[in-house]
Amino acid sequence: MTLFRTVAELRSYIDQARKDGKKTGFVPTMGALHAGHLSLISQSQAENDITVLSIFVNPTQFNESTDFSNYPRTEVQDLKLIDGLNVQAVFLPTTQEMYGAGNKNLLDFSLNGLDTVMEGSYRAGHFDGVITIVDKFLTIIQPDAAYFGLKDYQQLAIVRYLAEKRHPSVRIVACPIIREVDGLAMSSRNVLLTSEERVKAVLISKVLFGIRDTWKNRSFEDIVNEARAAFLHSDFELEYLEISDAYTLHPLSDYSNKAAVVCVAARIGKVRLIDNCELPA
Ligand code: PAF
């Protein structure tokens, strides 16, 4: 496992790997690695000769400065966790390395409405930061495939669109959500939960699975209203619970013959959690 802190060093490593005919898989992360990230790594390893992992807490995708400063940074632990996992390259750039010294210029690219709903309406500018950094990484690394978790469902849809338009040679691979035994979706933010909040956090997946298990057995309106009501009687503050078209992400207001997804964002104490569950057509 070789650590790279500059674009130039990483590029020359990748150029050589390409000359040697190696297939490259890329796993972008913001660190605080957990079993969800490890599943992205193993999927990349199964499909490529080398895996490049990035660890970079990208400042431009945080719409709240406290969220950015509180975001867990656990570089030493992260490197220990992946030591021996056969990750060939780890990219750990500084903000200056990725954005230069001046203004953090953002990519100006229209996302065809994918960024105006859900996370986009609650986290102004978030996806501008995400596409800016993902675009930079894909330009530098030019991987054969890049691996993203389905937990960030809207991010995945947006990255797919970005890659299709700007990096058509990169295959975007969606990897399943990895859950704790009680159902909580794994997230780097889970370590910020108090032990009491951690127990209560199971509500999100319970509500999602409740929808999945009764999907099309009750009226659409009842399903949505009951799910939202479950948060009213809890310690969560619900930001949104939407059932959306799985491809356009536009909200649905009735059953249709389209594949759907239910997405949730809710806050408990100081922590904001998101989760989702795909629903059959
Ligand atoms: O999903 C994440 O961890 C981040 O949004 C990503 C894709 C690494 C970009 O900073």
Side-chain angles (χ1 to χ4, degrees):
M1 181 167 89
T2 311
L3 307 191
F4 298 92
R5 297 197 186 259
T6 68
V7 172
E9 286 165 335
L10 180 67
R11 272 241 51 102
S12 82
Y13 170 82
I14 285 172
D15 286 348
Q16 187 56 51
R18 188 156 298 117
K19 274 187 204 139
D20 296 342
K22 306 257 194 242
K23 230 170 140 189
T24 306
F26 172 48
V27 178
T29 81
M30 297 206 298
L33 302 180
H34 50 70
H37 296 114
L38 300 187
S39 77
L40 304 182
I41 293 173
S42 62
Q43 182 80 22
S44 169
Q45 287 170 330
E47 299 176 355
N48 300 284
D49 303 309
I50 60 170
T51 292
V52 179
L53 176 95
S54 65
I55 299 180
F56 178 62
V57 184
N58 173 34
T60 63
Q61 71 186 75
F62 287 84
N63 54 318
E64 286 171 16
S65 57
T66 48
D67 188 25
F68 177 60
S69 51
N70 293 338
Y71 200 84
R73 289 164 173 83
T74 55
E75 184 180 314
V76 174
Q77 243 172 279
D78 289 347
L79 294 176
K80 245 191 219 149
L81 188 67
I82 56 173
D83 191 26
L85 287 191
N86 210 21
V87 173
Q88 284 71 22
V90 183
F91 185 39
L92 299 137
T94 59
T95 299
Q96 161 124 358
E97 186 66 15
M98 293 312 294
Y99 285 99
N103 285 339
K104 298 186 187 76
N105 287 334
L106 296 175
L107 179 69
D108 184 13
F109 176 75
S110 164
L111 289 165
N112 205 18
L114 287 170
D115 57 333
T116 55
V117 292
M118 300 190 288
E119 291 300 280
S121 51
Y122 281 85
R123 300 186 68 192
H126 167 64
F127 287 122
D128 294 332
V130 170
I131 60 168
T132 299
I133 198 66
V134 170
D135 192 72
K136 282 177 190 281
F137 283 140
L138 296 185
T139 304
I140 295 166
I141 299 166
Q142 295 174 21
D144 293 278
Y147 297 79
F148 292 83
L150 271 161
K151 189 179 118 342
D152 294 292
Y153 198 91
Q154 191 173 5
Q155 168 173 283
L156 176 67
I158 283 172
V159 165
R160 274 205 168 116
Y161 183 77
L162 174 80
E164 191 187 305
K165 302 285 175 204
R166 289 178 57 91
H167 304 274
S169 63
V170 182
R171 192 166 54 92
I172 301 298
V173 183
C175 300
I177 299 174
I178 306 294
R179 296 183 179 280
E180 303 283 358
V181 216
D182 67 353
L184 177 67
M186 294 215 181
S187 162
S188 300
R189 287 192 166 83
N190 291 354
V191 298
L192 302 172
L193 296 166
T194 64
S195 48
E196 250 178 49
E197 288 165 353
R198 169 62 192 86
V199 172
K200 291 175 178 167
V202 70
L203 178 71
I204 297 182
S205 55
K206 247 185 159 168
V207 169
L208 292 179
F209 296 158
I211 293 176
R212 180 198 60 197
D213 296 343
T214 56
W215 183 237
K216 298 200 173 173
N217 292 341
R218 290 184 296 151
S219 83
F220 188 93
E221 215 181 359
D222 282 354
I223 283 214
V224 173
N225 290 342
E226 283 168 31
R228 289 183 181 149
F231 288 93
L232 287 177
H233 312 292
S234 78
D235 292 310
F236 273 102
E237 187 194 315
L238 182 65
E239 283 193 352
Y240 61 81
L241 183 148
E242 290 291 355
I243 298 184
S244 308
D245 180 301
Y247 299 100
T248 66
L249 302 184
H250 288 170
L252 297 172
S253 50
D254 212 337
Y255 291 122
S256 70
N257 54 2
K258 293 175 177 157
V261 59
V262 51
C263 297
V264 176
R267 289 178 187 268
I268 186 160
K270 294 194 173 101
V271 188
R272 183 177 186 276
L273 299 174
I274 62 171
D275 197 356
N276 67 79
C277 182
E278 291 178 303
L279 303 165

